[in-house]
Amino acid sequence: MPIAKIAPSMLSSDFASLAAEAHRMIKNGADWLHMDVMDGHFVPNITIGAPVIQSLRKHTNVFLDCHLMVSNPEKWVDDFAKAGASLYCFHIEATNEPEALIEQIKKAGMKVGVAVKPKTPIETVFPLVDKIDMCLVMTVEPGFGGQKFMPDCMPKVQSLREKFPKLDIEVDGGLSLDTIDTAAQAGANVIVAGTSVFKAESPKDVISTLREKVESVQSKS
Ligand code: DX5
Ligand code: ZN
């Protein structure tokens, strides 16, 4: 399994103080920052776009893990690349031409992620795995922070991990100290956490415990 990466979801931050919130998370041990992009069409909520990524990029060099919950993900690749996104993760449900999109993202100079919603079979990404950097297995229906983790998504993580031992596998939605063991044991190594990190008394302790839990599974494998 690749190394553990903890990616606080900035959706749970105070958007009015985005740079300060980002620095706070980095200081507390975040490896990546997870940026939730929603268009009000693919999901029933609207959040941020490339201009916000561009503003944040001026304040930090951290890896910006951009999760595009949008229809027509092809449309925004160049804008996000120019804005300074590190990884562009699109939803498999949002495109009919994933291979062309993967090429477009690589050409633009970003790493590539493919996300699957809870009801989407994981087999849909199998043919793409050797072309991508990360697979995101959603553990809630995308659209909002603060939802309950869906353990029934874990067999998807498991079968992905069995087939692809070196792939970065990200889980997103409802990850906390209560659910991390289940996700880590299934084989996830990139952990997105919004509510559980931002609402914690000590985000630092939560981030380091999430990391330890993933590492303890890794040390046994
Ligand atoms: C949900 C987003 C998640 C969300 C996670 O659509 O993709 O990244 O912010 O938040 P929590 O950790 O609160 O479930
Ligand atoms: Zn997300």
Side-chain angles (χ1 to χ4, degrees):
M1 222 205 276
I3 60 165
K5 289 176 263 285
I6 311 303
S9 168
M10 300 308 286
L11 184 60
S12 294
S13 74
D14 176 1
F15 274 156
S17 311
L18 194 56
E21 290 283 74
H23 289 142
R24 182 163 74 96
M25 288 301 131
I26 296 162
K27 213 175 67 196
N28 284 317
D31 301 283
W32 291 3
L33 297 181
H34 184 81
M35 307 301 293
D36 283 308
V37 178
M38 306 186 191
D39 67 350
H41 187 261
F42 183 76
V43 287
N45 197 6
I46 299 177
T47 55
I48 58 166
V52 174
I53 302 294
Q54 190 174 6
S55 298
L56 180 59
R57 180 50 88 208
K58 296 197 177 99
H59 297 267
T60 174
N61 290 323
V62 75
F63 191 95
L64 295 177
D65 167 30
C66 298
H67 177 196
L68 279 286
M69 286 161 275
V70 303
S71 304
N72 302 316
E74 296 80 10
K75 214 168 158 181
W76 310 111
V77 171
D78 292 340
D79 286 357
F80 273 76
K82 277 191 210 120
S86 309
L87 182 147
Y88 191 96
C89 182
F90 66 88
H91 267 267
I92 190 76
E93 304 85 0
T95 178
N96 292 323
E97 298 196 47
E99 308 216 357
L101 180 51
I102 289 167
E103 278 314 303
Q104 190 189 351
I105 296 166
K106 284 186 183 169
K107 267 206 187 112
M110 295 179 288
K111 293 202 180 297
V112 185
V114 178
V116 290
K117 296 206 282 185
K119 293 193 190 85
T120 303
I122 197 64
E123 289 74 20
T124 56
V125 303
F126 285 174
L128 305 172
V129 167
D130 61 341
K131 303 176 182 76
I132 65 178
D133 299 289
M134 186 186 85
C135 180
L136 163 50
V137 178
M138 289 299 301
T139 45
V140 297
E141 285 298 336
F144 301 92
Q147 303 182 76
K148 205 166 168 274
F149 176 80
M150 297 167 67
D152 43 321
C153 297
M154 290 304 98
K156 297 204 290 191
V157 174
Q158 248 161 356
S159 64
L160 202 55
R161 178 54 73 215
E162 274 162 25
K163 266 180 105 73
F164 306 104
K166 292 190 180 138
L167 180 68
D168 270 328
I169 302 179
E170 182 174 67
V171 281
D172 181 11
L175 271 301
S176 69
L177 299 184
D178 295 330
T179 56
I180 184 63
D181 286 323
T182 309
Q185 274 155 22
N189 71 297
V190 185
I191 310 299
V192 176
T195 311
S196 66
V197 167
F198 279 91
K199 301 277 178 289
E201 214 167 284
S202 168
K204 189 179 184 164
D205 290 350
V206 175
I207 289 172
S208 68
T209 308
L210 293 174
R211 187 194 317 286
E212 280 160 23
K213 299 281 189 176
V214 175
E215 285 171 352
S216 82
V217 172
Q218 287 175 327
S219 66
K220 286 183 205 120
S221 63

